[in-house]
Structures are given as structure tokens and as C-alpha cells.
Amino acid sequence: MARLVYERADLLPLLGEVFREHGFEGASLAVISRRTGLGKGSLYHFFPGGKEEMAAAVLAHVDHWFETQVFRPLREEPDGRRAITAMLEATDAYFRSGRRVCVVGVFALAESRDRFAVKVASYFSAWIDALAGALGRAGHPPDDARALSEEAVGLIQGALVLARALDDPAPFARTLARLKARLVPERPAP
Amino acid sequence: MARLVYERADLLPLLGEVFREHGFEGASLAVISRRTGLGKGSLYHFFPGGKEEMAAAVLAHVDHWFETQVFRPLREEPDGRRAITAMLEATDAYFRSGRRVCVVGVFALAESRDRFAVKVASYFSAWIDALAGALGRAGHPPDDARALSEEAVGLIQGALVLARALDDPAPFARTLARLKARLVPERPAP
DNA sequence: CCTTAATTGTACCGATCAGTACATTCTGTA
DNA sequence: TACAGAATGTACTGATCGGTACAATTAAGG
């Protein structure tokens, strides 16, 4: 058989999609095997810890993506408005304008939250912290910035739930547009 | 053994908690049996359709609760501001101030969405429609009302995800407080 | 070509899954 | 008390679960 996967890292995007679509409980080794094209032998070769290790690797992979593409720019870009605009664009791209849900959110709602409690919690708190900082640099008063950041991150997650529930990505797109207007108004925040 | 359950309806709250905590895939008949105190014989006596019928009954039960306690008051209470305030209070009570997640949201994010697509979608669209009407009666311009309603429902769902992810109900409470300030401002909306 | 180790598919394990069959136990009505 | 039907627990089914063992295959180095 042709060798399609050369590295463990090549598997992570595929595994990510499987867990995103099925959740942890619903992602059976059978569907993982089918979607990756790898037998159990290969899967356990790359992930001796089994399904739990696969899910942990996916969470770490997602966290790393957001850390480098979203959180760090939010923290380090001196221009707060530019940082927030970039975050909204990256978010829109990552979630495919609402056609993709958040695997961390999926894990958070189900039983699997307890198993991955630390990673799930740190993902959201890192996002809120980084965005609050950028909002502060964009001119929002510190007290507002924190509340606004929490609201924005929650709004994104809620819009993903809504988009999936209604089977329509439009609510997510509208939410991002409203968020942009609120977080980065045409005239800098008072 | 003492008979604890006399009617199928008595089971729905128990089943609701199980599906809320475990999701559809994660709620095995073993845990359902343990949590309800009923053997499989009894469960299949009440729900010949098995797990799927149980979940459908739970969704219908939740939908009925929201219909009578939230959606209908939102539609029929002439005073829009009063209707919205009552909705926020009922929502806070139902979700136990953020200590409880939304079983429809849980179903929406996981694979189970496809199985219950109609009920999941209608729950959210009914909520958004009813709230948009009340917002209109509360003085919000029609265009704003629709967008504001969608945002509010999404915000509630997102806050539930956040509360569960961070294992802290506070974000939900703060979100409801902000929502109240936005939907029912001290001085009626412009 | 030969060796070696990494990689992979397959057969299997015990446990658990949803669901069925059915005998037993209750409960209400004579 | 006696009976009928509802309610219930238990034992089972085949399928699938996550995970293991291991032999066959592959690729790289000499």
C-alpha cells in the first residue's frame, strides 16, 4: 500500500477533523482508522497512549496554532486595533466562516471536559487574557477591556453553536461583523 | 424493590440530566439505567424506541418547557421590557446560573445534531424569533431587534460553553448581567 | 544481496455497547 | 383471595468498543 503518512504531525489535521466532527466519545478507532487510512497498528505506533493521546495531541496542536497565529500576535502587536483585526480574520479563516466548529468547545461541553480540563480551560483563558490586553492597547478602559474580551470569546463560541445548530454559517459571519464594529470601531474607542 | 417511577414523564428530568452531562453518544444504557434506577426492561417498556426515543423525548420536554416558560411569554407579554426581563430570569434559573449546560447545545455540537436536526434547529430559531419580537416591542428598531436577538441567544450559549470550559459559572452570570443592561437599558432603548 | 529496524495490517482479547426475550413480581379490580 | 395485565429484573444476543500481539512488509544502510 502506498505510504501516505510520513510523520505523526501529518496525522494531526486529520485527527483534528475527526474529533471536531464526532467529539471524543463519538470518535471510535474504527472511524479514526478509516479517515486516516491507517490500521490500528500504525495508529498505536504513533500514539502508544491510544485515543486519549491522539486527542491530547490534537488539543496541543490546536493550542499551538492559536498561540502562534492568534494569542501571541494579540499580545505582541503594539497596535491594538491592528491586533484585533488580525485576530478576527484568523478566527474567520480557522472556523471556515462558521462551517467548522471549535474542537475545544466540543470537548468542553461533553463528558470529555474532565479528562482534558487543564488544556480546555487554558485555551479559553489564554484567549481572553490576550484579547483583553489588545483591547486595552486599542483604547478601551481596563475594566471594560476584560468584560468585552470575555464577551467576545463567548460570542464566538456561541455563534459556532448557533451556526451548527441551524446548519447555516451566516450567524457566525454576522457575529464576526458585529464584533469588529464593537471591538474596533471606526473612530477609536472613547 | 420500592417503586420510584410511576410515569414516563417522571423519567424525563432524570434522562435530561444524563444526556446533558454525557451527550447522546456518551449516555450509555448502563449509566441511564443506573441514574434512573430502572433496568433495561423498564426503560424499554417506557421507551420502546430505545435511546433515540429517550433523547427525542428529552428534547421535546425541554422544548416544551422553553415554549411555555420562555418563548410564549416573550411573544405574548405586551410589555416587551417585562417579557425580556422575565426571559433572563427564567434562563438564569434553568441553567442554574451557569452550573448547567444546554442539552440542545450539547446535541448541536456533536454528531447527534444530524439525528435531531429539526428539533435542534427549531429550538434556537423559536428562541431568536420570539426574542426579536419582544425586543421590537421594547423599542428597538426592527432591524436591530433581529440582530440583537441572534446575538443574545448566541451569547447565552457561548457563556455556557465558557462556564463549563473554565469550570466557573461566573462568566455566565456576568454575561446575563451585561445582556440585561443591553436589552433592557435603564432608559428605554432609543 | 543481506541485515536491521521502522512501519504496517490483521487477528484477536475482554469489556461494553444497544437491544431482545422472557420469566417474575407487583398492582388494581373483582 | 384470585385473577389479569402492567411493570420490572435478568440473562442473553450479535456488534462494536479500545487495546494488544505479532507476523508480514517496507525502507535504508552496508
Side-chain angles (χ1 to χ4, degrees):
Chain A
M1 169 179 287
R3 183 162 141 168
L4 299 171
V5 174
Y6 292 85
E7 312 233 11
R8 174 183 145 130
D10 299 332
L11 285 172
L12 293 179
L14 295 173
L15 290 175
E17 289 306 308
V18 174
F19 283 116
R20 187 188 314 277
E21 293 169 20
H22 298 81
F24 182 78
E25 284 83 10
S28 71
L29 282 186
V31 14
I32 294 175
S33 175
R34 181 160 40 84
R35 291 281 291 270
T36 57
L38 260 51
K40 290 192 186 183
S42 312
L43 291 172
Y44 275 84
H45 169 71
F46 287 117
F47 302 96
K51 210 169 89 160
E52 178 142 356
E53 184 176 343
M54 297 179 209
V58 164
L59 284 182
H61 183 244
V62 170
D63 195 75
H64 178 260
W65 191 93
F66 273 84
E67 176 61 30
T68 56
Q69 305 295 316
V70 179
F71 305 160
R72 192 171 307 159
L74 272 179
R75 286 190 220 102
E76 300 182 352
E77 162 64 51
D79 182 339
R81 293 170 54 84
R82 191 194 306 253
I84 294 164
T85 303
M87 178 203 88
L88 291 172
E89 279 166 13
T91 302
D92 186 58
Y94 183 83
F95 294 117
R96 305 274 155 79
S97 301
R99 276 174 289 270
R100 220 187 186 193
V101 296
C102 176
V103 65
V104 190
V106 172
F107 276 37
L109 274 193
E111 209 182 358
S112 44
R113 192 212 80 97
D114 303 323
R115 208 189 289 251
F116 305 102
V118 175
K119 287 194 177 183
V120 166
S122 69
Y123 168 84
F124 286 109
S125 57
W127 196 343
I128 293 172
D129 289 347
L131 177 56
L135 284 167
R137 295 198 304 283
H140 294 269
D143 293 355
D144 293 9
R146 181 89 208 160
L148 201 50
S149 174
E150 183 176 270
E151 178 164 348
V153 174
L155 209 34
I156 288 169
Q157 291 297 315
L160 292 172
V161 172
L162 229 49
R164 171 110 174 105
L166 300 173
D167 197 22
D168 174 14
F172 181 78
R174 286 193 289 264
T175 295
L176 278 196
R178 283 193 299 262
L179 258 184
K180 177 159 188 176
R182 184 122 49 91
L183 303 183
V184 197
E186 291 302 323
R187 65 174 61 186
Chain B
M1 171 178 288
R3 182 159 140 170
L4 299 171
V5 174
Y6 291 85
E7 312 233 13
R8 174 183 145 131
D10 298 333
L11 286 172
L12 293 179
L14 296 173
L15 291 175
E17 289 307 310
V18 175
F19 283 117
R20 190 189 310 280
E21 293 169 20
H22 297 82
F24 182 77
E25 284 82 11
S28 72
L29 282 187
V31 17
I32 293 174
S33 177
R34 179 160 41 84
R35 291 281 292 270
T36 57
L38 260 51
K40 291 192 185 182
S42 312
L43 291 172
Y44 274 85
H45 169 71
F46 288 116
F47 303 94
K51 210 170 88 161
E52 179 141 356
E53 184 177 345
M54 298 179 207
V58 163
L59 285 182
H61 183 246
V62 169
D63 195 73
H64 178 257
W65 192 93
F66 273 85
E67 177 60 31
T68 57
Q69 305 296 316
V70 179
F71 304 160
R72 193 172 305 160
L74 272 178
R75 285 190 219 103
E76 299 181 354
E77 162 65 50
D79 183 339
R81 292 170 55 85
R82 192 195 305 253
I84 294 163
T85 303
M87 177 201 90
L88 291 172
E89 279 165 12
T91 302
D92 186 58
Y94 182 85
F95 294 117
R96 306 272 155 79
S97 302
R99 276 174 289 271
R100 220 186 185 196
V101 296
C102 176
V103 66
V104 190
V106 172
F107 276 37
L109 272 193
E111 207 182 359
S112 44
R113 192 212 80 97
D114 303 323
R115 209 188 289 251
F116 305 102
V118 174
K119 288 194 176 184
V120 166
S122 69
Y123 168 85
F124 286 109
S125 57
W127 196 343
I128 293 172
D129 289 347
L131 177 56
L135 284 167
R137 296 198 304 283
H140 294 270
D143 292 356
D144 292 10
R146 180 90 207 158
L148 202 49
S149 175
E150 182 177 273
E151 177 163 348
V153 174
L155 211 33
I156 289 169
Q157 291 297 315
L160 291 172
V161 173
L162 229 49
R164 172 108 173 104
L166 299 172
D167 196 21
D168 175 14
F172 181 77
R174 286 193 289 264
T175 294
L176 278 197
R178 283 193 300 261
L179 258 185
K180 176 160 188 174
R182 184 122 49 92
L183 303 183
V184 197
E186 291 303 322
R187 64 173 64 185

